[in-house]
């Protein structure tokens, strides 16, 4: 989604209690300062999974014993939920204090929900202009999901907003590298970014992977002109080769670029069967990425 009607809309930063929450806060603060938008942190406590067949032995007990067991389980669940909510409130309070103190933001709200992350973000998106999400979370921190958070792809697919996917450590971008493919989505993204404030003042490089022929050069020249006409220092190049390799080689070794790219254009089933170019590029890129919806 690339409309410019963003007055009064907030930036929603999704955080969990992992080592990457501060990086998400840093990235969200950068976005808010550029867009002059309020910030809201969202922390979701996921519903606990029900007992599996091998864990639930209540059916083998007598009526009184079964009632006693279920009452004890309910009490333990209630205590656990209460403790999780309290830890969540303390976590959000610390994160809010860090953001206001470090980045000087004065419009920082926090929200905690007991729900699924995808459902929560979808419910809240009407009041949101951009979502900020860590590429890694607690599951990835524990060595699962190939270095990507277990909810990452599903959240990006679920929302209709642009998403800043924050790397392990957020570095303030000194240049924007746009992985351009001449799709209608990316053409709209170029126009939106050129007219907006998010990339204002940053040099922009347009990269198109493919055969360097007259058509591809015209596509890149168009994108460069849109940024140049808006006052940007812009350049572009058509580079032959695999898109992932081409884009990764275009990124600065200092790690201070912002990668701009499209997000998950194919169905989840196709991605599962053949792999996702979006996920592959994100895993390989050592920088934060702006995913255009």
């Amino acid at each position: 989604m690339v409309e410019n009607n963003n007055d009064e809309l907030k930036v929603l930063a999704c955080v969990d209690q992992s080592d990457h929450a501060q990086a998400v806060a840093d990235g969200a603060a950068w976005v808010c300062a550029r867009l002059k938008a309020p910030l809201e942190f969202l922390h979701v406590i996921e519903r606990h999974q029900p007992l599996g067949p091998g864990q639930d032995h209540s059916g083998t007990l007598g009526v009184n014993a079964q009632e006693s067991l279920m009452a004890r389980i309910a009490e333990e669940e209630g205590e656990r939920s209460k403790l999780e909510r309290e830890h969540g409130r303390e976590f959000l309070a610390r994160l809010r204090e860090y953001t206001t103190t470090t980045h000087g933001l004065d419009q920082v709200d926090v929200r905690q929900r007991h729900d699924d992350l995808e459902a929560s973000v979808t419910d809240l998106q009407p009041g949101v202009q951009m979502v900020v999400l860590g590429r890694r979370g607690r599951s990835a921190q524990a060595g699962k999901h190939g270095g990507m958070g277990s909810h990452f792809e599903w959240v990006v697919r679920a929302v209709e907003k642009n998403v800043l996917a924050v790397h392990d450590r957020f570095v303030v971008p000194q240049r924007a590298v746009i992985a351009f493919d001449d799709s209608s989505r990316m053409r709209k993204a170029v126009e939106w970014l050129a007219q907006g404030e998010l990339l204002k003042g940053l040099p922009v490089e347009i990269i198109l992977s493919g055969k360097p022929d007259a058509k591809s050069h015209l596509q890149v020249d168009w994108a460069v002109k849109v940024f140049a006409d808006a006052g940007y220092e812009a350049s572009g190049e058509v580079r032959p080769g695999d898109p992932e390799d081409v884009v990764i080689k275009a990124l600065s070794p200092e790690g201070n670029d912002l990668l701009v790219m499209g997000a998950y254009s194919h169905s989840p089933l196709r991605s599962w069967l053949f792999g996702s170019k979006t996920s592959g590029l994100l895993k390989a890129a050592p920088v934060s990425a702006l995913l255009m919806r």
Side-chain angles (χ1 to χ4, degrees):
M1 186 174 184
V2 293
E3 287 87 350
N4 264 317
N5 265 342
N6 290 329
D7 292 344
E8 304 302 323
L9 296 179
K10 69 185 71 173
V11 171
L12 184 68
C14 304
V15 290
D16 63 12
Q17 297 183 56
S18 71
D19 293 342
H20 308 293
Q22 182 175 317
V24 174
D26 293 336
W30 178 79
V31 171
C32 289
R34 293 216 149 221
L35 300 182
K36 297 180 174 57
L39 171 62
E40 180 171 274
F41 286 111
L42 171 66
H43 177 244
V44 174
I45 301 173
E46 294 187 342
R47 295 188 177 93
H48 299 136
Q49 295 294 322
L51 293 175
Q55 298 171 289
D56 185 358
H57 303 289
S58 60
T60 65
L61 303 174
V63 175
N64 292 336
Q66 182 176 340
E67 290 178 350
S68 176
L69 174 62
M70 298 308 294
R72 191 173 82 245
I73 290 174
E75 181 180 354
E76 290 174 353
E77 285 291 316
E79 288 298 319
R80 181 165 65 165
S81 294
K82 181 180 179 181
L83 189 61
E84 286 179 338
R85 289 195 299 270
E86 183 59 32
H87 286 169
R89 284 192 290 268
E90 294 173 355
F91 162 69
L92 287 171
R94 292 194 301 270
L95 200 58
R96 180 179 184 177
E97 181 180 5
Y98 166 78
T99 308
T100 55
T101 302
T102 304
H103 298 285
L105 298 184
D106 55 5
Q107 297 184 73
V108 181
D109 293 325
V110 297
R111 184 191 299 260
Q112 182 164 255
R113 293 181 60 160
H114 200 106
D115 201 350
D116 297 320
L117 179 58
E118 298 96 310
S120 296
V121 177
T122 302
D123 289 345
L124 296 173
Q125 69 174 337
V128 169
Q129 61 174 298
M130 186 174 292
V131 175
V132 181
L133 186 67
R135 298 202 319 231
R136 291 160 57 86
R138 297 179 70 179
S139 59
Q141 186 173 294
K144 303 174 184 178
H145 305 288
M148 297 278 282
S150 58
H151 294 281
F152 179 84
E153 179 176 342
W154 292 107
V155 172
V156 176
R157 287 185 180 276
V159 300
E160 298 175 353
K161 310 294 181 178
N162 298 327
V163 176
L164 177 65
V166 177
H167 193 51
D168 294 358
R169 182 175 66 91
F170 180 78
V171 177
V172 174
Q174 302 300 310
R175 183 182 65 149
V177 175
I178 299 181
F180 189 64
D181 59 11
D182 199 48
S183 64
S184 60
R185 174 191 298 183
M186 288 307 295
R187 291 179 74 91
K188 291 178 181 178
V190 165
E191 293 172 336
W192 181 76
L193 289 167
Q195 297 304 316
E197 298 296 323
L198 188 64
L199 303 184
K200 191 68 71 177
L202 297 181
V204 173
E205 183 171 2
I206 313 292
I207 299 296
L208 190 152
S209 62
K211 184 179 180 181
D213 54 21
K215 181 180 178 181
S216 59
H217 282 296
L218 283 174
Q219 293 168 349
V220 169
D221 290 346
W222 172 84
V224 170
K225 185 176 186 303
V226 171
F227 277 105
D229 288 349
Y232 285 82
E233 176 189 334
S235 60
E237 187 176 355
V238 181
R239 299 186 183 182
D242 176 76
E244 182 177 314
D245 293 337
V246 166
V247 172
I248 294 302
K249 289 177 181 177
L251 296 173
S252 168
E254 284 77 21
N256 56 5
D257 289 334
L258 175 68
L259 174 61
V260 181
M261 57 187 286
Y264 298 111
S265 58
H266 295 300
S267 70
L269 177 60
R270 180 182 173 88
S271 296
W272 181 75
L273 290 171
F274 302 108
S276 166
K277 291 182 179 179
T278 301
S279 293
L281 183 50
L282 284 172
K283 290 176 184 178
V287 297
S288 296
L290 180 61
L291 307 179
M292 307 305 296
R293 299 296 296 155

